[in-house]
Amino acid sequence: MKVKVNKEKCIGCGSCVAIAPEIFELNEEGKSVVKKQPSKEEESKVKEAIELCPTKAIEIEE
Ligand code: SF4
């Protein structure tokens, strides 16, 4: 799984960071960025973050 955040859609709510702080962090603009691609074990957390993102800003690339 390769994940990315659509900066146009992200509103910086921080939900994904709360769910998966290993993967997501808020940048200086208050937008979520991917700091590390998830390992196999981390994929379920990322899926949860995707489901709970209010603007559907988190996308799977492949
Ligand atoms: Fe942005 Fe969605 Fe993460 Fe909220 S949950 S910070 S809107 S990517």
Side-chain angles (χ1 to χ4, degrees):
M1 177 196 277
K2 190 158 180 247
V3 67
K4 69 169 185 179
V5 174
N6 183 330
K7 282 198 178 130
E8 309 294 315
K9 289 189 185 172
C10 175
I11 56 168
C13 72
S15 165
C16 57
V17 180
I19 294 165
E22 310 85 351
I23 311 299
F24 303 101
E25 67 183 354
L26 294 182
N27 69 8
E28 61 282 355
E29 297 171 331
K31 305 268 183 172
S32 173
V33 291
V34 175
K35 63 177 176 181
K36 181 179 85 67
Q37 290 297 330
S39 65
K40 271 264 173 276
E41 293 74 31
E42 291 164 337
E43 286 186 0
S44 61
K45 267 189 173 185
V46 170
K47 284 181 185 153
E48 191 183 340
I50 289 170
E51 280 174 28
L52 292 175
C53 173
T55 59
K56 302 283 172 245
I58 306 168
E59 298 166 2
I60 294 173
E61 283 192 314
E62 59 196 58

Short mmCIF file of all heavy atoms in Angstrom, two decimals:
data_model
loop_
_atom_site.label_atom_id
_atom_site.label_comp_id
_atom_site.label_asym_id
_atom_site.label_seq_id
_atom_site.Cartn_x
_atom_site.Cartn_y
_atom_site.Cartn_z
N MET A 1 0.85 -1.20 0.00
CA MET A 1 0.00 0.00 0.00
C MET A 1 0.88 1.25 0.00
O MET A 1 1.82 1.36 0.77
CB MET A 1 -0.88 0.01 1.26
CG MET A 1 -1.75 1.26 1.38
SD MET A 1 -2.40 1.46 3.06
CE MET A 1 -3.83 0.39 2.99
N LYS A 2 0.54 2.19 -0.92
CA LYS A 2 1.22 3.49 -0.91
C LYS A 2 0.15 4.56 -0.73
O LYS A 2 -0.84 4.57 -1.44
CB LYS A 2 1.97 3.68 -2.22
CG LYS A 2 2.89 4.86 -2.21
CD LYS A 2 3.99 4.72 -3.28
CE LYS A 2 4.89 5.94 -3.22
NZ LYS A 2 4.76 6.77 -4.42
N VAL A 3 0.37 5.40 0.26
CA VAL A 3 -0.67 6.33 0.65
C VAL A 3 -0.21 7.78 0.41
O VAL A 3 0.98 8.07 0.46
CB VAL A 3 -1.06 6.07 2.12
CG1 VAL A 3 0.04 6.42 3.08
CG2 VAL A 3 -2.33 6.78 2.50
N LYS A 4 -1.18 8.65 0.10
CA LYS A 4 -0.84 10.08 -0.01
C LYS A 4 -2.03 10.90 0.46
O LYS A 4 -3.16 10.41 0.54
CB LYS A 4 -0.45 10.43 -1.44
CG LYS A 4 -1.60 10.37 -2.42
CD LYS A 4 -1.19 11.00 -3.76
CE LYS A 4 -2.38 11.05 -4.70
NZ LYS A 4 -2.06 11.66 -5.99
N VAL A 5 -1.75 12.16 0.77
CA VAL A 5 -2.81 13.07 1.21
C VAL A 5 -3.02 14.13 0.14
O VAL A 5 -2.07 14.75 -0.34
CB VAL A 5 -2.45 13.74 2.55
CG1 VAL A 5 -3.49 14.79 2.94
CG2 VAL A 5 -2.32 12.70 3.66
N ASN A 6 -4.26 14.31 -0.25
CA ASN A 6 -4.63 15.36 -1.20
C ASN A 6 -4.73 16.68 -0.43
O ASN A 6 -5.65 16.88 0.35
CB ASN A 6 -5.96 15.01 -1.86
CG ASN A 6 -6.37 16.03 -2.91
OD1 ASN A 6 -6.04 17.21 -2.82
ND2 ASN A 6 -7.10 15.56 -3.90
N LYS A 7 -3.74 17.55 -0.66
CA LYS A 7 -3.66 18.80 0.12
C LYS A 7 -4.83 19.74 -0.16
O LYS A 7 -5.17 20.58 0.67
CB LYS A 7 -2.36 19.53 -0.20
CG LYS A 7 -1.17 18.93 0.51
CD LYS A 7 0.00 19.90 0.53
CE LYS A 7 1.15 19.27 1.29
NZ LYS A 7 2.41 19.33 0.59
N GLU A 8 -5.40 19.61 -1.34
CA GLU A 8 -6.56 20.46 -1.67
C GLU A 8 -7.75 20.11 -0.78
O GLU A 8 -8.53 20.97 -0.40
CB GLU A 8 -6.98 20.25 -3.14
CG GLU A 8 -5.85 20.36 -4.15
CD GLU A 8 -5.29 21.76 -4.21
OE1 GLU A 8 -6.08 22.71 -4.26
OE2 GLU A 8 -4.04 21.90 -4.18
N LYS A 9 -7.86 18.83 -0.45
CA LYS A 9 -9.02 18.37 0.31
C LYS A 9 -8.80 18.41 1.81
O LYS A 9 -9.76 18.53 2.57
CB LYS A 9 -9.37 16.93 -0.09
CG LYS A 9 -9.97 16.79 -1.48
CD LYS A 9 -10.46 15.36 -1.66
CE LYS A 9 -10.98 15.08 -3.06
NZ LYS A 9 -11.26 13.64 -3.22
N CYS A 10 -7.57 18.28 2.27
CA CYS A 10 -7.31 18.19 3.72
C CYS A 10 -7.66 19.51 4.41
O CYS A 10 -7.27 20.58 3.97
CB CYS A 10 -5.84 17.86 3.95
SG CYS A 10 -5.37 17.87 5.69
N ILE A 11 -8.40 19.38 5.52
CA ILE A 11 -8.77 20.57 6.30
C ILE A 11 -8.00 20.64 7.62
O ILE A 11 -8.28 21.47 8.47
CB ILE A 11 -10.29 20.62 6.58
CG1 ILE A 11 -10.75 19.33 7.29
CG2 ILE A 11 -11.08 20.84 5.29
CD1 ILE A 11 -12.17 19.41 7.86
N GLY A 12 -7.05 19.72 7.79
CA GLY A 12 -6.18 19.78 8.96
C GLY A 12 -6.85 19.44 10.28
O GLY A 12 -6.46 19.96 11.32
N CYS A 13 -7.84 18.56 10.24
CA CYS A 13 -8.57 18.23 11.48
C CYS A 13 -7.72 17.42 12.46
O CYS A 13 -8.01 17.38 13.64
CB CYS A 13 -9.84 17.47 11.15
SG CYS A 13 -9.54 15.79 10.61
N GLY A 14 -6.69 16.74 11.95
CA GLY A 14 -5.80 15.99 12.83
C GLY A 14 -6.25 14.58 13.15
O GLY A 14 -5.57 13.87 13.90
N SER A 15 -7.38 14.17 12.60
CA SER A 15 -7.90 12.84 12.90
C SER A 15 -6.93 11.73 12.48
O SER A 15 -6.66 10.80 13.24
CB SER A 15 -9.25 12.69 12.19
OG SER A 15 -9.64 11.36 12.15
N CYS A 16 -6.38 11.86 11.29
CA CYS A 16 -5.46 10.82 10.81
C CYS A 16 -4.19 10.76 11.67
O CYS A 16 -3.65 9.69 11.90
CB CYS A 16 -5.11 11.04 9.35
SG CYS A 16 -4.39 12.66 9.01
N VAL A 17 -3.74 11.91 12.14
CA VAL A 17 -2.55 11.96 13.00
C VAL A 17 -2.84 11.28 14.33
O VAL A 17 -1.99 10.56 14.87
CB VAL A 17 -2.10 13.42 13.22
CG1 VAL A 17 -0.86 13.48 14.09
CG2 VAL A 17 -1.84 14.11 11.88
N ALA A 18 -4.05 11.47 14.84
CA ALA A 18 -4.44 10.83 16.11
C ALA A 18 -4.51 9.31 15.95
O ALA A 18 -4.09 8.57 16.83
CB ALA A 18 -5.78 11.37 16.57
N ILE A 19 -4.99 8.86 14.80
CA ILE A 19 -5.16 7.42 14.57
C ILE A 19 -3.82 6.75 14.25
O ILE A 19 -3.51 5.68 14.75
CB ILE A 19 -6.16 7.17 13.42
CG1 ILE A 19 -7.56 7.63 13.83
CG2 ILE A 19 -6.17 5.69 13.01
CD1 ILE A 19 -8.52 7.77 12.67
N ALA A 20 -3.02 7.39 13.41
CA ALA A 20 -1.78 6.78 12.95
C ALA A 20 -0.64 7.80 12.96
O ALA A 20 -0.18 8.25 11.91
CB ALA A 20 -1.97 6.19 11.55
N PRO A 21 -0.15 8.14 14.15
CA PRO A 21 0.91 9.16 14.25
C PRO A 21 2.24 8.71 13.62
O PRO A 21 3.09 9.55 13.34
CB PRO A 21 1.06 9.38 15.76
CG PRO A 21 0.47 8.17 16.39
CD PRO A 21 -0.60 7.68 15.47
N GLU A 22 2.39 7.38 13.41
CA GLU A 22 3.62 6.90 12.75
C GLU A 22 3.64 7.28 11.28
O GLU A 22 4.69 7.36 10.66
CB GLU A 22 3.71 5.37 12.83
CG GLU A 22 3.49 4.76 14.21
CD GLU A 22 2.02 4.54 14.56
OE1 GLU A 22 1.14 5.02 13.82
OE2 GLU A 22 1.77 3.91 15.59
N ILE A 23 2.45 7.48 10.73
CA ILE A 23 2.32 7.66 9.28
C ILE A 23 2.06 9.12 8.91
O ILE A 23 2.63 9.63 7.93
CB ILE A 23 1.13 6.81 8.74
CG1 ILE A 23 1.19 5.37 9.24
CG2 ILE A 23 1.06 6.87 7.21
CD1 ILE A 23 2.42 4.60 8.84
N PHE A 24 1.19 9.77 9.65
CA PHE A 24 0.77 11.13 9.28
C PHE A 24 1.27 12.15 10.29
O PHE A 24 1.35 11.88 11.48
CB PHE A 24 -0.76 11.22 9.22
CG PHE A 24 -1.40 10.24 8.28
CD1 PHE A 24 -1.98 9.08 8.75
CD2 PHE A 24 -1.42 10.48 6.90
CE1 PHE A 24 -2.58 8.16 7.89
CE2 PHE A 24 -2.01 9.58 6.04
CZ PHE A 24 -2.59 8.42 6.53
N GLU A 25 1.57 13.36 9.80
CA GLU A 25 1.84 14.49 10.68
C GLU A 25 1.32 15.75 10.02
O GLU A 25 1.17 15.80 8.80
CB GLU A 25 3.33 14.60 11.00
CG GLU A 25 4.19 14.97 9.80
CD GLU A 25 5.69 15.00 10.13
OE1 GLU A 25 6.05 14.83 11.30
OE2 GLU A 25 6.47 15.17 9.20
N LEU A 26 1.04 16.76 10.84
CA LEU A 26 0.58 18.03 10.28
C LEU A 26 1.81 18.88 9.97
O LEU A 26 2.72 19.01 10.79
CB LEU A 26 -0.33 18.75 11.28
CG LEU A 26 -1.68 18.07 11.57
CD1 LEU A 26 -2.50 18.92 12.54
CD2 LEU A 26 -2.49 17.85 10.30
N ASN A 27 1.83 19.46 8.77
CA ASN A 27 2.97 20.31 8.39
C ASN A 27 2.73 21.74 8.89
O ASN A 27 1.75 22.04 9.57
CB ASN A 27 3.22 20.23 6.88
CG ASN A 27 2.12 20.89 6.06
OD1 ASN A 27 1.23 21.53 6.59
ND2 ASN A 27 2.18 20.71 4.75
N GLU A 28 3.64 22.64 8.52
CA GLU A 28 3.56 24.02 9.03
C GLU A 28 2.33 24.76 8.49
O GLU A 28 1.91 25.76 9.07
CB GLU A 28 4.87 24.79 8.72
CG GLU A 28 5.23 24.95 7.25
CD GLU A 28 5.83 23.67 6.64
OE1 GLU A 28 6.06 22.69 7.38
OE2 GLU A 28 6.04 23.68 5.43
N GLU A 29 1.75 24.23 7.42
CA GLU A 29 0.51 24.83 6.90
C GLU A 29 -0.73 24.24 7.57
O GLU A 29 -1.86 24.60 7.23
CB GLU A 29 0.39 24.59 5.39
CG GLU A 29 1.49 25.24 4.57
CD GLU A 29 1.46 24.80 3.10
OE1 GLU A 29 1.02 23.67 2.80
OE2 GLU A 29 1.87 25.61 2.27
N GLY A 30 -0.53 23.31 8.50
CA GLY A 30 -1.65 22.68 9.16
C GLY A 30 -2.33 21.61 8.32
O GLY A 30 -3.46 21.24 8.57
N LYS A 31 -1.59 21.11 7.32
CA LYS A 31 -2.14 20.03 6.47
C LYS A 31 -1.42 18.73 6.79
O LYS A 31 -0.24 18.74 7.14
CB LYS A 31 -1.90 20.36 4.99
CG LYS A 31 -2.45 21.71 4.55
CD LYS A 31 -3.84 21.59 4.02
CE LYS A 31 -4.35 22.94 3.53
NZ LYS A 31 -5.61 22.83 2.84
N SER A 32 -2.14 17.66 6.65
CA SER A 32 -1.54 16.36 6.91
C SER A 32 -0.61 15.96 5.77
O SER A 32 -0.93 16.15 4.60
CB SER A 32 -2.65 15.32 7.05
OG SER A 32 -2.09 14.03 7.15
N VAL A 33 0.54 15.42 6.15
CA VAL A 33 1.46 14.87 5.16
C VAL A 33 1.87 13.46 5.60
O VAL A 33 1.84 13.14 6.78
CB VAL A 33 2.73 15.74 4.98
CG1 VAL A 33 2.40 17.07 4.32
CG2 VAL A 33 3.43 15.97 6.31
N VAL A 34 2.23 12.65 4.62
CA VAL A 34 2.69 11.30 4.92
C VAL A 34 4.17 11.39 5.24
O VAL A 34 4.96 11.83 4.41
CB VAL A 34 2.45 10.37 3.71
CG1 VAL A 34 3.05 9.00 3.96
CG2 VAL A 34 0.96 10.26 3.42
N LYS A 35 4.54 10.98 6.45
CA LYS A 35 5.97 11.04 6.79
C LYS A 35 6.65 9.71 6.56
O LYS A 35 7.86 9.64 6.41
CB LYS A 35 6.17 11.55 8.21
CG LYS A 35 5.61 10.70 9.31
CD LYS A 35 5.97 11.31 10.68
CE LYS A 35 5.35 10.54 11.81
NZ LYS A 35 5.66 11.13 13.12
N LYS A 36 5.86 8.64 6.53
CA LYS A 36 6.43 7.32 6.30
C LYS A 36 5.36 6.44 5.67
O LYS A 36 4.21 6.48 6.11
CB LYS A 36 6.87 6.72 7.64
CG LYS A 36 7.51 5.36 7.56
CD LYS A 36 7.92 4.86 8.93
CE LYS A 36 6.81 4.17 9.70
NZ LYS A 36 6.36 2.89 9.13
N GLN A 37 5.70 5.69 4.66
CA GLN A 37 4.72 4.77 4.08
C GLN A 37 4.46 3.62 5.06
O GLN A 37 5.38 3.18 5.76
CB GLN A 37 5.24 4.22 2.74
CG GLN A 37 5.26 5.27 1.62
CD GLN A 37 3.86 5.79 1.29
OE1 GLN A 37 2.85 5.09 1.42
NE2 GLN A 37 3.79 7.06 0.87
N PRO A 38 3.22 3.14 5.12
CA PRO A 38 2.90 2.12 6.12
C PRO A 38 3.51 0.75 5.82
O PRO A 38 3.59 0.33 4.67
CB PRO A 38 1.36 2.05 6.05
CG PRO A 38 1.00 2.54 4.69
CD PRO A 38 2.04 3.56 4.34
N SER A 39 3.91 0.08 6.89
CA SER A 39 4.30 -1.33 6.77
C SER A 39 3.01 -2.15 6.66
O SER A 39 1.91 -1.62 6.86
CB SER A 39 5.08 -1.75 8.01
OG SER A 39 4.23 -1.70 9.14
N LYS A 40 3.15 -3.42 6.39
CA LYS A 40 1.97 -4.31 6.31
C LYS A 40 1.14 -4.22 7.59
O LYS A 40 -0.09 -4.15 7.55
CB LYS A 40 2.42 -5.76 6.10
CG LYS A 40 2.57 -6.15 4.65
CD LYS A 40 1.29 -6.85 4.15
CE LYS A 40 1.29 -7.12 2.67
NZ LYS A 40 0.86 -5.99 1.84
N GLU A 41 1.83 -4.21 8.73
CA GLU A 41 1.14 -4.19 10.03
C GLU A 41 0.38 -2.88 10.24
O GLU A 41 -0.58 -2.83 11.00
CB GLU A 41 2.15 -4.38 11.17
CG GLU A 41 2.82 -5.75 11.22
CD GLU A 41 3.86 -5.94 10.13
OE1 GLU A 41 4.49 -4.96 9.72
OE2 GLU A 41 4.00 -7.08 9.65
N GLU A 42 0.84 -1.82 9.60
CA GLU A 42 0.23 -0.50 9.82
C GLU A 42 -0.92 -0.21 8.85
O GLU A 42 -1.61 0.79 9.00
CB GLU A 42 1.31 0.59 9.69
CG GLU A 42 2.31 0.57 10.83
CD GLU A 42 3.57 1.35 10.54
OE1 GLU A 42 3.91 1.57 9.36
OE2 GLU A 42 4.26 1.73 11.50
N GLU A 43 -1.12 -1.09 7.88
CA GLU A 43 -2.13 -0.81 6.85
C GLU A 43 -3.55 -0.70 7.41
O GLU A 43 -4.34 0.10 6.93
CB GLU A 43 -2.07 -1.87 5.75
CG GLU A 43 -0.85 -1.68 4.85
CD GLU A 43 -0.85 -2.63 3.66
OE1 GLU A 43 -1.80 -3.44 3.52
OE2 GLU A 43 0.10 -2.54 2.87
N SER A 44 -3.87 -1.49 8.43
CA SER A 44 -5.24 -1.44 8.96
C SER A 44 -5.52 -0.09 9.61
O SER A 44 -6.61 0.46 9.50
CB SER A 44 -5.47 -2.58 9.95
OG SER A 44 -4.60 -2.47 11.04
N LYS A 45 -4.50 0.47 10.27
CA LYS A 45 -4.64 1.80 10.86
C LYS A 45 -4.87 2.86 9.79
O LYS A 45 -5.65 3.78 9.95
CB LYS A 45 -3.35 2.17 11.61
CG LYS A 45 -3.34 1.84 13.06
CD LYS A 45 -2.11 2.47 13.68
CE LYS A 45 -2.12 2.33 15.18
NZ LYS A 45 -0.98 3.06 15.77
N VAL A 46 -4.13 2.72 8.70
CA VAL A 46 -4.27 3.67 7.60
C VAL A 46 -5.67 3.57 7.00
O VAL A 46 -6.30 4.59 6.68
CB VAL A 46 -3.18 3.43 6.53
CG1 VAL A 46 -3.45 4.25 5.28
CG2 VAL A 46 -1.82 3.79 7.10
N LYS A 47 -6.16 2.35 6.86
CA LYS A 47 -7.53 2.17 6.32
C LYS A 47 -8.55 2.84 7.23
O LYS A 47 -9.52 3.44 6.76
CB LYS A 47 -7.84 0.69 6.15
CG LYS A 47 -7.16 0.11 4.92
CD LYS A 47 -7.49 -1.35 4.73
CE LYS A 47 -6.69 -1.92 3.58
NZ LYS A 47 -6.47 -3.36 3.72
N GLU A 48 -8.34 2.73 8.54
CA GLU A 48 -9.23 3.37 9.49
C GLU A 48 -9.17 4.90 9.32
O GLU A 48 -10.19 5.59 9.31
CB GLU A 48 -8.81 2.98 10.91
CG GLU A 48 -9.79 3.38 11.98
CD GLU A 48 -9.29 3.02 13.39
OE1 GLU A 48 -8.40 2.16 13.52
OE2 GLU A 48 -9.78 3.64 14.33
N ALA A 49 -7.95 5.42 9.17
CA ALA A 49 -7.79 6.87 8.97
C ALA A 49 -8.48 7.32 7.69
O ALA A 49 -9.12 8.39 7.65
CB ALA A 49 -6.30 7.22 8.92
N ILE A 50 -8.39 6.51 6.65
CA ILE A 50 -9.05 6.83 5.38
C ILE A 50 -10.56 6.91 5.58
O ILE A 50 -11.21 7.85 5.12
CB ILE A 50 -8.69 5.78 4.30
CG1 ILE A 50 -7.23 5.94 3.89
CG2 ILE A 50 -9.63 5.90 3.09
CD1 ILE A 50 -6.70 4.81 3.02
N GLU A 51 -11.10 5.93 6.29
CA GLU A 51 -12.55 5.92 6.51
C GLU A 51 -13.02 7.10 7.34
O GLU A 51 -14.12 7.63 7.13
CB GLU A 51 -12.96 4.62 7.22
CG GLU A 51 -13.06 3.44 6.28
CD GLU A 51 -13.31 2.12 7.03
OE1 GLU A 51 -13.90 2.17 8.12
OE2 GLU A 51 -12.89 1.08 6.51
N LEU A 52 -12.20 7.51 8.30
CA LEU A 52 -12.64 8.54 9.23
C LEU A 52 -12.28 9.95 8.78
O LEU A 52 -12.71 10.92 9.39
CB LEU A 52 -12.07 8.27 10.62
CG LEU A 52 -12.64 7.01 11.29
CD1 LEU A 52 -11.95 6.74 12.62
CD2 LEU A 52 -14.15 7.13 11.51
N CYS A 53 -11.51 10.08 7.73
CA CYS A 53 -11.16 11.43 7.25
C CYS A 53 -12.44 12.12 6.74
O CYS A 53 -13.12 11.60 5.86
CB CYS A 53 -10.14 11.34 6.13
SG CYS A 53 -9.83 12.96 5.37
N PRO A 54 -12.79 13.28 7.31
CA PRO A 54 -14.07 13.91 6.98
C PRO A 54 -14.16 14.39 5.53
O PRO A 54 -15.27 14.56 5.02
CB PRO A 54 -14.16 15.08 7.96
CG PRO A 54 -12.75 15.35 8.37
CD PRO A 54 -12.04 14.03 8.33
N THR A 55 -13.03 14.61 4.90
CA THR A 55 -13.07 15.14 3.52
C THR A 55 -12.55 14.12 2.50
O THR A 55 -12.35 14.46 1.33
CB THR A 55 -12.24 16.43 3.42
OG1 THR A 55 -10.88 16.13 3.79
CG2 THR A 55 -12.79 17.52 4.33
N LYS A 56 -12.30 12.90 2.96
CA LYS A 56 -11.79 11.84 2.05
C LYS A 56 -10.52 12.30 1.33
O LYS A 56 -10.38 12.12 0.11
CB LYS A 56 -12.87 11.42 1.03
CG LYS A 56 -14.14 10.90 1.66
CD LYS A 56 -13.96 9.48 2.18
CE LYS A 56 -15.14 8.99 2.99
NZ LYS A 56 -14.83 8.72 4.39
N ALA A 57 -9.64 12.91 2.11
CA ALA A 57 -8.41 13.48 1.52
C ALA A 57 -7.28 12.46 1.41
O ALA A 57 -6.30 12.70 0.71
CB ALA A 57 -7.94 14.67 2.36
N ILE A 58 -7.42 11.32 2.09
CA ILE A 58 -6.34 10.32 2.07
C ILE A 58 -6.61 9.32 0.95
O ILE A 58 -7.70 8.76 0.87
CB ILE A 58 -6.23 9.59 3.42
CG1 ILE A 58 -6.09 10.61 4.55
CG2 ILE A 58 -5.04 8.62 3.39
CD1 ILE A 58 -6.27 10.00 5.93
N GLU A 59 -5.61 9.15 0.10
CA GLU A 59 -5.78 8.30 -1.07
C GLU A 59 -4.72 7.20 -1.12
O GLU A 59 -3.60 7.42 -0.70
CB GLU A 59 -5.67 9.16 -2.36
CG GLU A 59 -6.74 10.23 -2.43
CD GLU A 59 -6.45 11.29 -3.49
OE1 GLU A 59 -5.43 11.17 -4.19
OE2 GLU A 59 -7.26 12.22 -3.59
N ILE A 60 -5.14 6.07 -1.65
CA ILE A 60 -4.19 4.98 -1.88
C ILE A 60 -3.74 5.05 -3.33
O ILE A 60 -4.57 5.14 -4.23
CB ILE A 60 -4.83 3.61 -1.56
CG1 ILE A 60 -5.13 3.51 -0.07
CG2 ILE A 60 -3.89 2.48 -1.98
CD1 ILE A 60 -5.91 2.28 0.32
N GLU A 61 -2.45 5.05 -3.54
CA GLU A 61 -1.92 5.21 -4.90
C GLU A 61 -1.82 3.90 -5.65
O GLU A 61 -1.88 3.87 -6.85
CB GLU A 61 -0.53 5.88 -4.84
CG GLU A 61 -0.61 7.37 -4.59
CD GLU A 61 0.71 8.06 -4.82
OE1 GLU A 61 1.74 7.55 -4.34
OE2 GLU A 61 0.71 9.11 -5.47
N GLU A 62 -1.58 2.81 -4.95
CA GLU A 62 -1.44 1.54 -5.65
C GLU A 62 -1.85 0.41 -4.76
O GLU A 62 -1.99 0.61 -3.56
CB GLU A 62 0.01 1.35 -6.12
CG GLU A 62 1.01 1.36 -5.00
CD GLU A 62 2.45 1.56 -5.51
OE1 GLU A 62 2.71 2.55 -6.16
OE2 GLU A 62 3.27 0.69 -5.22
FE1 SF4 B 1 -6.58 16.11 6.70
FE2 SF4 B 1 -8.27 14.07 6.55
FE3 SF4 B 1 -6.11 13.92 8.11
FE4 SF4 B 1 -8.16 15.51 8.78
S1 SF4 B 1 -8.17 13.24 8.65
S2 SF4 B 1 -5.94 16.03 8.87
S3 SF4 B 1 -8.80 16.22 6.77
S4 SF4 B 1 -6.12 14.08 5.86
#
